[in-house]
Amino acid sequence: MAERKAVNKYYPPDWTPAKGSINTYRKSHPLRERAKRLHEGILRIRFELPYNIWCGGCGDMVGMGVRYNADKSKVGMYYSTPIYKFRMKCHLCDNYFEIQTDPKNCDYVIMSGASRKNERWDQPDNE
């Protein structure tokens, strides 16, 4: 299977290693369009919802595991652990919602645009 992978890259005839890397020569970033707003501290990533939520715009439920293209930005620190904010658009409407990491409680907190669907599992109730 490895023999089918492309290991060669195209190098223009006027490029030489003295001109720097091929990305520097072509004036592009290795992450391409994902790094378009990197100078603002925002990186486009693929984010999967950690739990079920209710969208604040359309009122529909969005299930756990739905993947979004999210804007990731660093908003603070908890001791030495960074706190990240993820901003994504609902696929059912035009509403944006923001989710932030909570390293103190090892969880995610919805900051705006949605609300968490409370589905706590309790062992005595399920026996």
Side-chain angles (χ1 to χ4, degrees):
M1 183 156 186
E3 67 274 0
R4 285 185 265 153
K5 290 183 180 178
V7 294
N8 296 328
K9 295 181 180 177
Y10 172 74
Y11 295 104
D14 57 339
W15 177 80
T16 61
K19 294 182 179 179
S21 72
I22 192 69
N23 288 325
T24 305
Y25 176 74
R26 296 181 65 212
K27 296 180 179 69
S28 68
H29 194 276
L31 295 176
R32 308 250 177 185
E33 291 298 315
R34 292 178 48 206
K36 181 171 53 174
R37 294 176 25 192
L38 202 57
H39 63 280
E40 300 173 20
I42 298 173
L43 177 67
R44 178 64 55 107
I45 64 160
R46 196 78 172 145
F47 184 82
E48 185 172 335
L49 286 180
Y51 43 72
N52 296 332
I53 64 169
W54 293 104
C55 176
C58 58
D60 288 337
M61 188 191 83
V62 182
M64 175 175 56
V66 176
R67 294 186 179 126
Y68 288 98
N69 293 325
D71 292 333
K72 173 183 162 183
S73 59
K74 183 177 172 183
V75 292
M77 296 289 285
Y78 177 74
Y79 293 108
S80 62
T81 306
I83 298 174
Y84 293 108
K85 178 180 73 172
F86 304 96
R87 185 172 190 264
M88 56 208 95
K89 183 179 173 293
C90 178
H91 67 283
L92 301 169
C93 64
D94 291 334
N95 184 44
Y96 282 90
F97 50 89
E98 295 179 353
I99 296 178
Q100 184 172 314
T101 58
D102 183 13
K104 181 178 180 182
N105 300 317
C106 299
D107 200 8
Y108 291 92
V109 178
I110 298 176
M111 301 307 290
S112 65
S115 61
R116 184 173 184 164
K117 184 176 178 187
N118 290 325
E119 293 180 326
R120 302 286 183 195
W121 187 79
D122 201 14
Q123 186 174 1
D125 294 342
N126 292 306
E127 289 180 349

